[in-house]
Amino acid sequence: MLEVRNLSIAFKTSTGLKSAVRNIDFTIEPGAILGLVGESGSGKTITSLGVMGLLPPNAVVTSGEVLVDGIDILKLPPGDLRKLRGRHIAMIFQDPMASLDPIFTCGDQIAEAILLHEPIGRANARRKARELLEKVLIPDPDRAMRSYPHELSGGQCQRIMIAMAVACRPRIIIADEPTTALDVTVQKQVLELLRELNEEVGAAILLITHDLGVIYEVADRVVVMYAGDKMEEASTADLFAAPQSDYSRALIDSMPSLGREAERLPVIERDPSGRVRSVRPEPRPRPTSAGPVPPEGDRPLLEIRDLCKSYWVKPSPLAMPVEMRAVDRVSLSVAPRTTLGLVGESGCGKSTLSRAVIRLYKPDSGQILFKGEDIAALSDKEMRPFRREIAMVFQNPYGSLNPRQTVAQLIEAPMVIFADGDAIKRRGRVLSLLEAVGLSATAAQKYPHEFSGGQRQRIAIARALALNPSLVICDEAVSALDVSVQAQVLNLLKDLQAEFELTYLFISHDLSVVEHVSDTVAVMQKGRIVEYGSAAEIFGNPREPYTRILLDAVPTVGSMRGGKVAT
């Protein structure tokens, strides 16, 4: 159904063409699911955009063919290509907030996709759009139809994108990180939806993801890419049982999984000969200037008491607004130099809670005690000294990085605002932070749009660490990262915690990551904490049925070398 032959893509630069993808070839039969995996920046997304005919203006296809039912779509005129998209071949984009139009409601955007290809009238299109929202398990379809993208959570926006992509039941679906922003239960449901469409209409699916657990669960075959080259193609069972390339073996070794007892995750390194291997790095030595670690005190660094935050929403256009309690009497505490993992489904209130802690949202009631002082009711001026000590890594690096500033300016901005050091000192700090998150010094003078999604998230992490904060709130900080870079960042966060005595509030839908980094874990459902305890207790012997549901939904690769195992 889809055949890619020797596809090569390059970018136009001031010094000539820079190759991004070289001689990639693969085929997808009707009803098959092909997984495409590799590190951030390996060429996965550029390959998919080339297949869709949606390359940016500075990218060109230098060779190859993309055949859809035997027709080379690279040779089609723009008008014919537009008719093909949506009806025959559709794409679920990686970042829903950048792909959805902020000035139209979500319902109108789904209906528009239907009206472009089906002569059914606007009322019927909206009815079908609502049915699609039910199918992708949006909690309140009527409200979602009336909502604008910014009024929904990241996971809900991702489901809107999936509904748009499958609206006209296309025969080929390119899913670029379709479950990145989704919690494990919704991820499982979305993957089942893709399988359902795959079985109903024989749709061929190209699934691009950094989550090897997802690939293991749903893909029939896998293509592994690295630095623009195809390293390996094999059936899913063969790849995980006996990977042929060094890079594939290293990629699998870097993956965190439930029950994996390891202080540090293996990372991918390249020796002088260029050979790729998996290495478990030693912890970074603690600087002698840091002095001895102070003893643990009885007082938590952060304590939340009966915190509440509500929004007023309209159930229907003519109805009176009603209160929606996003955070409902939440109480938590985080000890100094420890990590509290916060998990729960999309829309349960995790991000609202984090924004209340950093005082981007003002809570309705309750207390937020930071180092013993209640910051919940402080004015912006009174809050300013605390902003040095509380930093945040946001979920969406596309929206949190200013596109008009260079990477150096973005990372340096907190230091400039708080007059932290002179220009030379700040420049040195920027370069050291870039190195710490795995980016080269040349990245400093580039702009965010020149980086992949995973690379942008690394920039956001570097910026959060600019002022050496005491508390770092990580809101899905590694959700956009492939497993190899994720391993580097998780090891980095542990190193920084030991080196600078950091405390983390770590929010994630990836339970295997939460288990790896957390000392204590809180499970959140519908604005409330339903279970709270040590990581060993929560993952080893959960008391609440909801927690068990979350754990059961985690895709598990298991032994990596011996075939599929039970989840």
Side-chain angles (χ1 to χ4, degrees), residues 9 25 52 137 168 174-175 217 315 339 386 428 465 492 557 561:
I9 301 171
D25 61 87
M52 286 289 293
L137 302 167
C168 297
I174 299 175
E217 290 283 324
T339 300
F386 293 96
L465 300 176
L492 169 68
V557 175
R561 293 286 185 275

Side-chain angles (χ1 to χ4, degrees), residues 42-71:
S42 64
K44 306 187 302 293
T45 297
I46 281 295
T47 299
S48 68
L49 293 175
V51 170
M52 286 289 293
L54 292 173
L55 289 172
N58 64 330
V60 293
V61 175
T62 56
S63 67
E65 297 175 307
V66 177
L67 304 177
V68 175
D69 289 334
I71 300 171

